[in-house]
Each structure stands twice: as C-alpha cells, then as structure tokens.
Amino acid sequence: MMDQAQSLRQLVSSQEPKRSSGGGTSARIITVCSGKGGVGKSNFTLNFALALQAMGKRVLLFDADIGMANIDVLMGVSARYNLYHLLKREADISQIIQKGPSGLPFIAGGSGMDELFSLSEGDLSYFTDQIAGIADSMDFILFDTGAGLSKETMKFITSADDCLVVTTPEPTAITDAYALIKVVNNSYPDVSFKLIVNQAGDEKEATGTSDKIRMAASRFLQLEITFLGFISSDTHVVQAVKKQIPFSVAFPNSAAAKDVHRLALSYLAADSADTTKVQGIKGFISRWLKRKH
C-alpha cells in the first residue's frame, strides 16, 4: 500500500507550480513562531528549510530572532555579515547572504534587527529594493522569529503568507501556543496558522497535542487550524546540536529527519492546493509597515 509520503509526493508533483524558475517570481513568505522558548523552533526552521531545498525548492532562511539569534550557531557557521551591515550600507544583499550546510542561503540575525524597526523612509526603500532583488530568485523565504509574542514578532506573523506555530506536548507549551494564536487572531482574524508538534513521543501524543489546540481554536475563536505534522523526540537531535550540524544532515536516517521530510512534503502539498495569491517580499513589507503593533 502506498504510504503517506509517497501520496504527498505524487500530489505535489501533480500540481502546477505557482512559481516558475524564470524571473518575476514571488517567494512565499513563511514566519515560524512559538508560544515559548525551548520547543526547538529554530532547529525545526533550519531543518525544514533544508528539507524544502532538498526537494528542489529555492529557500532563503532569515534569522529574525532579535534577542537570541542562533541559526548560525546551529549550523556551526561563523557569519561574517548580518542584517546590520546591510542596513548601515556596509555590505549589499549578496554579501550578507551566507551559505550553510548543503549550500543553504541564510541571513544571520543580530543587532541589525533592532534597526529594522526604526528605519527612515529612504533606508527602508533601500532595504526593500535589496531584499526584493534576491527574493525574486527564491521560492520560499523563512523568517525564524523570537519565542513568545513581542511587537516585532507580531508584525512578522501578521505580514507573512503563512505562519507555522511550533509547540511540544508539554502543557505550558500547549497553553502558550494557543495564547499566541488567540492574541493574533483577536487583532488580525485573517491570519492562518499551521501547527507543528515537536519532540512528540509518538503519533498519538502528537495528534492529541494538536487536537487540544485546534479544538480550542475552533470552539472559542471560530478558527480552523491545519495540523501539518510532528517531529519525534529523538536523541539524534541533541547529538546534532552538540556537533553544530543540522540533524537532517548529520543523521539523515533518524526518525526526526524522516519526520521533517514528511512535514516538508505536507507543506508543499498544502501550498500547491492553496489558491491564495502570493504577495511576495514587497507585499510582505507593505503589510508589515501598516501593522500597528
């Protein structure tokens, strides 16, 4: 019998791609967030980006965690430039894009994130043009935001095409994930969420965790949330962090690596079936500027 992964591969390949390999394409903007720290959000984002890239997608990973930027640490890469250098016009976009494992393009976070929220009109125009120049050659841009719901994270969540919420089966993580969804929904009911359960003991625990959040959202917020999938609790993940190598690269046959592969397939299937127009990076920044929070 055809397994779920095979079914998803066929569904993805059978759909007409929205973004061709030619010019003038629009990258889908994805914000990854979590209700609290310690749920493995950044690790998920990194390995999810690698999984999408392995499937032939052009991906740019953007570390948007203002206080605790650590994507470069997880990859064991020392970033020479970060966003600060672009905003200060000390380097252009091509210089601040670093290469991680498997050649994954990424922009390191750091102090530049603070300046991003207080740019002059001229500097913002420069930043937009620089990012747009590279975004047209990407299929997906992933923003790894800080844990919790700061005003900066709120802007990223409510301006993106998709918001992926990472949680774990721990009661506090479940409560905080739902609280984040509720606060965002109260101000911006048009935001759609996709849920990922990390560090799950098994599929039953992952489904039970997802159901708690999804049922509460449906009952109290009249909001339907998609459960994208789960990543198993796997000792290989901890080993990979210590090695500063993404677990999907260090241990490609591990349960966690296989799970993130399935998650990427599920996401691409959902993306192919989504008829919503992709706004692109300029649309993302336009919406971001209009947000009150």
Coordinates of all heavy atoms in Angstrom, one line a residue, residues 182-237:
K182 N -4.5 33.0 19.9 CA -5.6 33.8 20.3 C -5.4 35.3 20.2 O -6.2 36.1 19.7 CB -6.0 33.4 21.8 CG -7.2 34.2 22.3 CD -7.5 33.8 23.7 CE -8.7 34.6 24.3 NZ -8.9 34.2 25.7
V183 N -4.2 35.8 20.7 CA -3.9 37.2 20.7 C -3.8 37.7 19.2 O -4.3 38.8 18.9 CB -2.6 37.5 21.4 CG1 -2.1 38.9 21.2 CG2 -2.8 37.2 22.9
V184 N -3.1 36.9 18.4 CA -3.0 37.3 17.0 C -4.4 37.4 16.3 O -4.7 38.3 15.6 CB -2.1 36.4 16.2 CG1 -2.1 36.7 14.7 CG2 -0.6 36.5 16.8
N185 N -5.2 36.3 16.6 CA -6.5 36.2 15.9 C -7.4 37.4 16.4 O -8.2 37.8 15.6 CB -7.1 34.9 16.3 CG -8.5 34.7 15.6 OD1 -9.5 34.8 16.3 ND2 -8.5 34.4 14.3
N186 N -7.3 37.8 17.6 CA -8.1 38.9 18.1 C -7.9 40.2 17.3 O -8.9 41.0 17.1 CB -7.9 39.1 19.6 CG -8.5 38.0 20.5 OD1 -9.4 37.3 20.0 ND2 -8.1 37.9 21.7
S187 N -6.7 40.4 16.9 CA -6.4 41.7 16.2 C -6.4 41.5 14.7 O -6.8 42.4 13.9 CB -5.0 42.2 16.6 OG -5.0 42.5 18.0
Y188 N -6.0 40.3 14.2 CA -5.9 40.0 12.8 C -6.5 38.6 12.5 O -5.8 37.6 12.3 CB -4.5 40.1 12.3 CG -3.8 41.4 12.6 CD1 -3.0 41.6 13.7 CD2 -4.0 42.5 11.7 CE1 -2.4 42.8 13.9 CE2 -3.5 43.7 12.0 CZ -2.6 43.9 13.1 OH -2.1 45.1 13.3
P189 N -7.8 38.6 12.4 CA -8.5 37.3 12.1 C -8.2 36.7 10.8 O -8.6 35.5 10.5 CB -10.0 37.6 12.3 CG -10.1 39.1 12.0 CD -8.8 39.7 12.6
D190 N -7.6 37.4 9.9 CA -7.3 36.9 8.6 C -6.0 36.0 8.5 O -5.8 35.3 7.6 CB -7.1 38.0 7.5 CG -6.0 39.0 7.9 OD1 -5.9 39.2 9.1 OD2 -5.3 39.5 7.0
V191 N -5.3 36.0 9.6 CA -4.0 35.2 9.7 C -4.4 33.7 9.8 O -5.2 33.3 10.6 CB -3.1 35.6 10.9 CG1 -1.9 34.7 11.0 CG2 -2.7 37.1 10.7
S192 N -3.8 32.9 9.0 CA -4.0 31.5 9.1 C -2.8 30.8 9.7 O -1.6 31.3 9.4 CB -4.3 30.9 7.7 OG -3.2 31.1 6.8
F193 N -3.0 29.8 10.4 CA -1.9 29.1 11.1 C -1.8 27.6 10.7 O -2.8 27.0 10.4 CB -2.2 29.1 12.7 CG -2.2 30.5 13.2 CD1 -3.4 31.2 13.4 CD2 -1.1 31.2 13.6 CE1 -3.5 32.5 13.9 CE2 -1.1 32.4 14.2 CZ -2.3 33.1 14.3
K194 N -0.6 27.1 10.7 CA -0.3 25.7 10.6 C 0.5 25.3 11.8 O 1.4 26.0 12.2 CB 0.4 25.4 9.2 CG -0.4 25.7 8.0 CD 0.4 25.4 6.7 CE -0.5 25.6 5.5 NZ -0.9 27.0 5.3
L195 N 0.1 24.1 12.3 CA 0.7 23.7 13.6 C 1.6 22.5 13.4 O 1.4 21.6 12.7 CB -0.5 23.3 14.5 CG -0.1 22.9 16.0 CD1 0.4 24.2 16.7 CD2 -1.4 22.4 16.7
I196 N 2.8 22.6 14.1 CA 3.8 21.5 14.1 C 4.0 21.2 15.6 O 4.2 22.0 16.4 CB 5.1 22.0 13.5 CG1 5.0 22.3 12.0 CG2 6.2 20.9 13.7 CD1 4.8 23.7 11.7
V197 N 4.0 19.9 15.9 CA 4.2 19.4 17.2 C 5.6 18.8 17.2 O 5.9 17.8 16.5 CB 3.2 18.3 17.7 CG1 3.6 17.8 19.1 CG2 1.8 19.0 17.7
N198 N 6.5 19.3 18.0 CA 7.9 18.9 18.1 C 8.1 18.0 19.3 O 7.3 18.1 20.3 CB 8.9 20.1 18.1 CG 10.3 19.7 17.9 OD1 10.6 18.7 17.2 ND2 11.2 20.5 18.3
Q199 N 9.1 17.2 19.3 CA 9.5 16.4 20.5 C 8.3 15.5 20.9 O 8.1 15.3 22.1 CB 10.0 17.3 21.6 CG 11.2 18.1 21.2 CD 11.5 19.2 22.3 OE1 11.1 19.1 23.4 NE2 12.3 20.2 21.9
A200 N 7.6 14.9 20.0 CA 6.5 14.0 20.3 C 7.0 12.6 20.6 O 7.9 12.1 19.9 CB 5.5 14.0 19.1
G201 N 6.4 12.0 21.6 CA 6.7 10.6 21.9 C 6.3 9.7 20.8 O 7.0 8.7 20.5
D202 N 5.1 9.9 20.2 CA 4.7 9.1 19.1 C 3.5 9.9 18.4 O 3.2 11.0 18.8 CB 4.2 7.7 19.6 CG 3.1 7.8 20.7 OD1 2.4 8.8 20.8 OD2 3.1 6.9 21.6
E203 N 3.0 9.3 17.4 CA 2.0 9.9 16.6 C 0.7 10.2 17.4 O 0.1 11.3 17.3 CB 1.6 9.1 15.4 CG 0.6 9.8 14.5 CD 0.3 9.0 13.2 OE1 0.9 7.9 13.0 OE2 -0.5 9.5 12.4
K204 N 0.4 9.3 18.3 CA -0.8 9.5 19.2 C -0.6 10.8 20.1 O -1.6 11.6 20.2 CB -1.0 8.3 20.0 CG -2.3 8.4 20.9 CD -2.5 7.1 21.7 CE -3.7 7.2 22.6 NZ -3.9 6.0 23.4
E205 N 0.5 10.9 20.7 CA 0.8 12.1 21.5 C 0.7 13.3 20.7 O 0.2 14.4 21.1 CB 2.1 11.9 22.2 CG 2.4 13.1 23.2 CD 3.7 12.9 24.0 OE1 4.7 12.7 23.4 OE2 3.6 13.0 25.2
A206 N 1.3 13.3 19.5 CA 1.3 14.5 18.6 C -0.1 14.9 18.2 O -0.4 16.1 18.3 CB 2.2 14.2 17.4
T207 N -0.9 13.9 17.8 CA -2.2 14.2 17.4 C -3.1 14.7 18.6 O -3.9 15.6 18.4 CB -2.9 12.9 16.9 OG1 -2.1 12.4 15.8 CG2 -4.3 13.2 16.4
G208 N -2.9 14.1 19.8 CA -3.6 14.6 21.0 C -3.2 16.0 21.3 O -4.1 16.9 21.7
T209 N -1.9 16.4 21.2 CA -1.5 17.8 21.4 C -2.1 18.7 20.4 O -2.6 19.8 20.8 CB 0.1 17.8 21.3 OG1 0.7 17.0 22.3 CG2 0.6 19.3 21.5
S210 N -2.1 18.3 19.2 CA -2.7 19.1 18.1 C -4.2 19.4 18.3 O -4.7 20.5 18.2 CB -2.4 18.5 16.7 OG -3.2 19.1 15.8
D211 N -4.8 18.3 18.7 CA -6.3 18.4 18.9 C -6.7 19.3 20.0 O -7.7 20.0 19.9 CB -6.9 17.0 19.2 CG -6.9 16.1 18.0 OD1 -6.7 16.6 16.9 OD2 -7.1 14.8 18.2
K212 N -5.9 19.4 21.1 CA -6.2 20.3 22.2 C -6.2 21.8 21.7 O -7.1 22.5 22.0 CB -5.2 20.1 23.3 CG -5.3 18.8 24.1 CD -4.2 18.7 25.1 CE -4.3 17.4 25.8 NZ -3.2 17.2 26.8
I213 N -5.2 22.1 20.9 CA -5.1 23.5 20.4 C -6.2 23.7 19.3 O -6.8 24.8 19.3 CB -3.7 23.7 19.8 CG1 -2.7 23.7 21.0 CG2 -3.6 25.1 19.1 CD1 -1.2 23.7 20.5
R214 N -6.3 22.8 18.4 CA -7.2 23.0 17.3 C -8.7 23.1 17.7 O -9.5 23.9 17.2 CB -7.0 21.9 16.2 CG -5.7 22.0 15.6 CD -5.4 20.8 14.6 NE -6.3 20.8 13.5 CZ -7.2 19.9 13.2 NH1 -7.3 18.8 13.9 NH2 -8.0 20.0 12.1
M215 N -9.1 22.2 18.7 CA -10.4 22.2 19.2 C -10.8 23.5 20.0 O -11.9 24.0 19.8 CB -10.6 21.0 20.1 CG -10.7 19.6 19.3 SD -10.7 18.2 20.3 CE -12.3 18.4 21.0
A216 N -9.8 24.0 20.7 CA -10.0 25.2 21.5 C -10.1 26.4 20.5 O -11.0 27.2 20.7 CB -8.8 25.4 22.4
A217 N -9.3 26.4 19.5 CA -9.4 27.5 18.5 C -10.7 27.4 17.7 O -11.3 28.5 17.5 CB -8.2 27.4 17.5
S218 N -11.2 26.2 17.4 CA -12.4 26.1 16.7 C -13.6 26.5 17.6 O -14.5 27.2 17.1 CB -12.6 24.7 16.2 OG -13.8 24.5 15.6
R219 N -13.6 26.1 18.8 CA -14.7 26.4 19.7 C -14.8 27.9 20.2 O -15.8 28.5 20.1 CB -14.6 25.5 21.0 CG -15.7 25.7 22.0 CD -15.6 24.8 23.2 NE -16.7 25.0 24.1 CZ -16.7 24.4 25.3 NH1 -15.8 23.5 25.6 NH2 -17.7 24.7 26.1
F220 N -13.6 28.4 20.6 CA -13.6 29.8 21.2 C -13.3 30.9 20.2 O -13.6 32.0 20.4 CB -12.7 29.8 22.4 CG -13.0 28.8 23.4 CD1 -12.3 27.7 23.7 CD2 -14.2 29.0 24.2 CE1 -12.6 26.8 24.7 CE2 -14.5 28.1 25.2 CZ -13.7 27.0 25.5
L221 N -12.6 30.5 19.1 CA -12.2 31.6 18.2 C -12.8 31.4 16.8 O -12.6 32.3 15.9 CB -10.6 31.5 18.0 CG -9.8 31.6 19.3 CD1 -8.3 31.5 18.9 CD2 -10.0 32.9 20.0
Q222 N -13.5 30.3 16.6 CA -14.1 30.0 15.3 C -13.0 30.0 14.2 O -13.2 30.5 13.1 CB -15.2 31.0 14.9 CG -16.5 30.8 15.7 CD -16.4 31.4 17.2 OE1 -16.0 32.5 17.3 NE2 -16.6 30.6 18.2
L223 N -11.9 29.4 14.6 CA -10.7 29.4 13.8 C -10.3 28.0 13.5 O -10.1 27.2 14.4 CB -9.6 30.2 14.4 CG -8.2 30.2 13.7 CD1 -8.3 31.0 12.4 CD2 -7.1 30.8 14.6
E224 N -10.1 27.7 12.2 CA -9.7 26.3 11.8 C -8.2 26.4 11.6 O -7.7 27.2 10.9 CB -10.4 25.9 10.6 CG -11.9 25.8 10.7 CD -12.3 24.9 11.9 OE1 -11.7 23.8 12.0 OE2 -13.2 25.2 12.6
I225 N -7.5 25.5 12.3 CA -6.0 25.4 12.2 C -5.6 24.1 11.6 O -6.1 23.0 12.0 CB -5.4 25.6 13.6 CG1 -5.7 26.9 14.2 CG2 -3.9 25.4 13.5 CD1 -5.2 27.1 15.6
T226 N -4.7 24.1 10.6 CA -4.2 22.9 10.0 C -3.1 22.3 10.8 O -2.2 23.0 11.3 CB -3.6 23.3 8.6 OG1 -4.6 23.8 7.8 CG2 -3.0 22.1 7.9
F227 N -3.2 21.0 11.0 CA -2.1 20.3 11.7 C -1.2 19.8 10.6 O -1.5 18.9 9.8 CB -2.7 19.1 12.5 CG -1.6 18.2 13.2 CD1 -0.5 18.8 13.7 CD2 -1.8 16.9 13.2 CE1 0.5 18.0 14.3 CE2 -0.9 16.0 13.8 CZ 0.3 16.6 14.4
L228 N 0.0 20.3 10.5 CA 0.9 20.0 9.4 C 1.7 18.7 9.7 O 2.0 17.9 8.7 CB 1.9 21.1 9.2 CG 2.6 21.2 7.9 CD1 1.6 21.4 6.8 CD2 3.6 22.4 7.9
G229 N 1.9 18.4 10.9 CA 2.6 17.1 11.2 C 3.5 17.3 12.5 O 3.3 18.2 13.3
F230 N 4.3 16.3 12.8 CA 5.1 16.2 14.0 C 6.5 15.7 13.8 O 6.8 15.1 12.7 CB 4.4 15.3 15.0 CG 4.5 13.9 14.7 CD1 5.5 13.1 15.3 CD2 3.6 13.3 13.9 CE1 5.6 11.7 15.0 CE2 3.6 11.9 13.6 CZ 4.6 11.1 14.2
I231 N 7.4 16.0 14.7 CA 8.7 15.5 14.8 C 8.9 14.7 16.0 O 8.6 15.2 17.1 CB 9.8 16.7 14.7 CG1 9.6 17.4 13.4 CG2 11.2 16.1 14.7 CD1 10.5 18.6 13.2
S232 N 9.4 13.5 15.9 CA 9.6 12.6 17.0 C 10.7 13.1 18.0 O 11.6 13.8 17.6 CB 10.0 11.2 16.5 OG 9.0 10.7 15.7
S233 N 10.5 12.8 19.3 CA 11.5 13.0 20.2 C 12.7 12.1 19.9 O 12.5 10.9 19.8 CB 11.0 12.8 21.6 OG 12.0 13.0 22.6
D234 N 13.8 12.6 19.6 CA 14.9 11.8 19.0 C 16.2 12.2 19.6 O 16.6 13.4 19.5 CB 14.9 12.0 17.5 CG 15.8 11.0 16.8 OD1 16.8 10.5 17.4 OD2 15.6 10.9 15.5
T235 N 17.0 11.3 20.2 CA 18.3 11.7 20.8 C 19.3 12.2 19.7 O 20.2 12.9 20.1 CB 18.9 10.4 21.5 OG1 19.0 9.4 20.6 CG2 18.0 10.0 22.7
H236 N 19.0 11.8 18.5 CA 19.9 12.3 17.4 C 19.9 13.9 17.3 O 20.9 14.5 16.9 CB 19.6 11.7 16.1 CG 19.9 10.2 16.0 ND1 18.9 9.3 16.1 CD2 21.1 9.6 15.8 CE1 19.4 8.1 16.1 NE2 20.7 8.2 15.9
V237 N 18.8 14.4 17.7 CA 18.6 15.9 17.6 C 19.6 16.6 18.5 O 20.3 17.5 18.2 CB 17.2 16.3 17.9 CG1 17.1 17.8 17.9 CG2 16.2 15.8 16.8

